[in-house]
């Protein structure tokens, strides 16, 4: 089969012929119909970036994908050949303290498909059956590959009631774009999107944000106050991890508001911990991944009901062999893309 492999400890990747994976008894073999490029994929491709750790080479990466079940291990129950599935990349152990307390997404022994085991930027992938989400029909087939990142945004936005609230979405890469649509669907009174890219601000408006502001322009905080009220936003969903955006987001939040920390910074941040967090009584919530599988049920409902349409955030699709164009686009300085898809 054809696959995108990391073959050296340097920026870039290779398009190569490799053997189709042999599945274990608890696994499914998936014929990958679509993948989308995640921030984790980008870090592996670039050999740098937030959360990057060098994989054992050669290595097939790709954390977000969907496809058709073509082979079923003897211990993998509940699936039939031909089932359409999306993949949850977090392989949870099922026996640690977090797993046993319904927090599988932060399992103590977590392994990630496409980071710790071979991923989905390939024609076929082997995945544990417990990480496959079986679709009941084909209505989400065109967006099956973005279920996982969409689920992370669902988790980040919906961990608290937003009805009647004002929300600042900080960072309009795909996670932020999804978050804007989800916040609106959740009944937020006003959604303000913030990103330095004019292209992505336009996408945020298409996703449902009421207004979009440029953090690099002066008066950004005044712009948030104008929309959210002088006290600031009720919630900030921070998707960028950028130093300036995090600092700005903390100041844009009203005292007692909720700050959701999702974006990964490249290095440790410098914050006014006492002034901005402690003394203002902020509630800081770290969000990693999706609740397995509570977030998946929520997203299926949001998507199938039409409450959120993530399609405007999907801007480009490339065949597998043209993966270099896809990564070059995401790495480009002007960021004229939303979610970038790959079709094996
Ligand atoms: Zn566990």
């Amino acid at each position: 089969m054809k696959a995108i492999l990391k073959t050296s400890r340097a920026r870039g990747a290779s398009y190569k012929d490799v053997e189709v994976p042999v599945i274990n008894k608890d696994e499914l073999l998936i014929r990958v119909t679509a993948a989308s490029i995640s921030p984790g994929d980008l870090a592996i491709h670039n050999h740098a970036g937030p959360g990057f750790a060098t994989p054992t080479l050669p290595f097939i990466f790709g954390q977000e994908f969907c496809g058709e079940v073509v082979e079923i291990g003897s211990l993998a129950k509940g699936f039939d050949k031909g089932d359409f599935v999306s993949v949850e990349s977090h392989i949870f152990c099922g026996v640690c303290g977090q797993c046993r307390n319904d927090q599988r997404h932060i399992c103590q022994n977590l392994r990630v498909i496409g980071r710790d085991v071979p991923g989905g930027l390939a024609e076929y992938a082997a995945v544990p059956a417990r990480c496959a989400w079986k679709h009941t029909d084909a209505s989400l087939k065109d967006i099956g590959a973005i279920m996982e990142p969409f689920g992370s945004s669902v988790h980040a936005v919906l961990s608290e009631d937003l009805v009647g609230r004002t929300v600042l979405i900080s960072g309009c890469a795909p996670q932020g774009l999804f978050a804007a649509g989800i916040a609106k669907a959740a009944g937020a009174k006003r959604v303000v999107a913030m990103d330095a890219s004019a292209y992505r601000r336009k996408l945020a408006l298409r996703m449902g944000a009421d207004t979009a502001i440029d953090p690099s322009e002066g008066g950004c905080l005044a712009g948030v106050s104008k929309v959210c009220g002088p006290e600031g936003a009720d919630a900030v969903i921070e998707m960028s991890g950028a130093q300036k955006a995090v600092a700005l987001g903390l100041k844009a939040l009203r005292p007692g508001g909720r700050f959701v920390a999702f974006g990964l910074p490249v290095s440790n941040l410098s914050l006014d911990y006492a002034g901005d967090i402690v003394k203002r009584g902020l509630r800081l919530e770290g969000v990693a991944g999706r609740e397995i599988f509570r977030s998946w049920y929520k997203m299926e409902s949001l998507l199938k009901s039409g409450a959120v349409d993530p399609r405007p955030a999907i801007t480009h699709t490339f065949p597998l062999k043209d993966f270099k164009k896809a990564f070059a686009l995401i790495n480009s300085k002007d960021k004229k893309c939303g979610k970038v898809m790959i079709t094996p």
Side-chain angles (χ1 to χ4, degrees):
M1 68 171 186
K2 299 290 187 189
I4 307 301
L5 275 94
K6 190 77 188 173
T7 53
S8 69
R9 293 178 196 285
R11 190 185 179 98
S14 305
Y15 178 66
K16 287 191 180 296
D17 280 306
V18 297
E19 294 295 320
V20 172
V22 175
I23 58 169
N24 293 322
K25 287 180 181 176
D26 66 341
E27 290 182 331
L28 307 171
L29 184 66
I30 311 290
R31 183 180 67 80
V32 180
T33 52
S36 53
I37 296 179
S38 77
D41 298 337
L42 190 68
I44 291 174
H45 174 275
N46 291 352
H47 204 67
F52 172 71
T54 306
T56 304
L57 303 176
F59 178 74
I60 300 170
F61 57 119
Q63 294 175 8
E64 303 170 352
F65 56 100
C66 64
E68 181 192 345
V69 174
V70 292
E71 203 182 320
I72 303 164
S74 60
L75 298 179
K77 305 298 179 196
F79 293 88
D80 294 306
K81 283 185 184 177
D83 281 347
F84 169 51
V85 296
S86 291
V87 175
E88 164 58 65
S89 73
H90 287 184
I91 307 176
F92 52 95
C93 75
V95 295
C96 75
Q98 276 96 300
C99 282
R100 288 182 168 178
N101 279 287
D102 209 12
Q103 295 176 312
R104 297 173 194 89
H105 61 293
I106 47 171
C107 166
Q108 288 173 26
N109 306 303
L110 194 69
R111 289 177 302 146
V112 177
I113 297 172
R115 187 190 74 188
D116 305 314
V117 301
L121 284 174
E123 289 179 299
Y124 293 90
V127 301
R130 68 182 186 281
C131 294
W133 172 267
K134 184 164 126 177
H135 291 268
T136 51
D137 58 41
S139 61
L140 304 180
K141 208 155 194 172
D142 61 322
I143 53 171
I146 58 107
M147 291 290 281
E148 169 170 311
F150 186 81
S152 298
S153 298
V154 163
H155 182 196
V157 174
L158 299 185
S159 63
E160 199 170 291
D161 183 9
L162 284 181
V163 177
R165 304 287 186 177
T166 56
V167 182
L168 172 64
I169 309 289
S170 169
C172 296
Q175 299 289 169
L177 294 174
F178 297 148
I182 294 159
K184 245 355 236 189
K189 184 167 69 178
R190 288 274 183 278
V191 174
V192 181
M194 182 168 78
D195 199 285
S197 158
Y199 181 93
R200 287 182 168 174
R201 290 199 301 276
K202 268 187 196 166
L203 287 180
L205 293 173
R206 284 187 64 200
M207 283 300 300
D210 295 291
T211 187
I213 56 177
D214 181 354
S216 61
E217 283 181 0
C220 183
L221 280 176
V224 175
S225 296
K226 199 173 161 188
V227 182
C228 298
E231 65 279 8
D234 292 310
V236 170
I237 316 293
E238 209 306 301
M239 297 303 214
S240 75
Q243 166 75 55
K244 276 187 185 171
V246 173
L248 202 62
L250 289 170
K251 291 191 190 304
L253 197 55
R254 70 164 170 80
R258 174 172 66 119
F259 187 94
V260 175
F262 182 91
L264 297 177
V266 178
S267 56
N268 284 340
L269 301 178
S270 170
L271 302 172
D272 182 359
Y273 186 81
D276 281 346
I277 299 174
V278 180
K279 291 182 181 174
R280 297 180 67 235
L282 300 193
R283 291 169 299 120
L284 190 59
E285 179 188 4
V287 168
R290 307 136 297 284
E291 291 186 291
I292 304 169
F293 277 87
R294 191 181 292 122
S295 298
W296 287 77
Y297 285 102
K298 288 180 184 175
M299 69 172 122
E300 183 183 62
S301 180
L302 287 168
L303 294 169
K304 285 199 168 179
S305 67
V308 185
D309 182 5
R311 292 171 183 84
I314 301 169
T315 56
H316 296 78
T317 302
F318 295 92
L320 191 65
K321 65 180 172 54
D322 288 340
F323 76 96
K324 284 184 182 172
K325 289 181 188 169
F327 282 99
L329 179 65
I330 303 171
N331 275 323
S332 65
K333 205 174 175 186
D334 52 6
K335 307 281 179 219
K336 286 190 176 172
C337 62
K339 199 63 171 167
V340 177
M341 309 280 284
I342 296 278
T343 49

